[in-house]
Amino acid sequence: MARPIDPMRRALPASEWPQADQEAWAAAQAAGDIFDEGGGAAHWASRTRQTNEQHYGRWLGYLKRFWDQCRA
């Protein structure tokens, strides 16, 4: 049985990130070639990428909740 997710810790999925963040994340993961090293995260293991995506999504979720509260 899965643990219930605390709404305060909800991570925004990458599809809900701002467009600039989505583009930067894609560029960071882009593989390079013989003349280009690729993005900074190109060499990361898939689990490391997944973890970092979740943590950044959690940060964006926090900012969104904070922003929504300020505007209310």
Side-chain angles (χ1 to χ4, degrees):
M1 186 167 154
R3 258 184 2 191
I5 297 174
D6 179 358
M8 296 300 290
R9 294 177 53 92
R10 180 183 176 273
L12 285 181
S15 61
E16 293 181 27
W17 293 5
Q19 187 64 35
D21 290 2
Q22 290 182 30
E23 291 169 4
W25 182 237
Q29 298 180 79
D33 59 25
I34 193 167
F35 300 109
D36 180 20
E37 294 181 13
H43 67 281
W44 290 355
S46 62
R47 182 66 180 142
T48 302
R49 290 182 191 191
Q50 181 183 10
T51 299
N52 282 284
E53 182 176 318
Q54 182 180 14
H55 290 178
Y56 189 68
R58 188 177 295 166
W59 169 244
L60 290 177
Y62 164 79
L63 292 177
K64 182 180 183 314
R65 282 189 307 278
F66 182 79
W67 177 252
D68 290 346
Q69 287 176 356
C70 288
R71 294 186 336 171

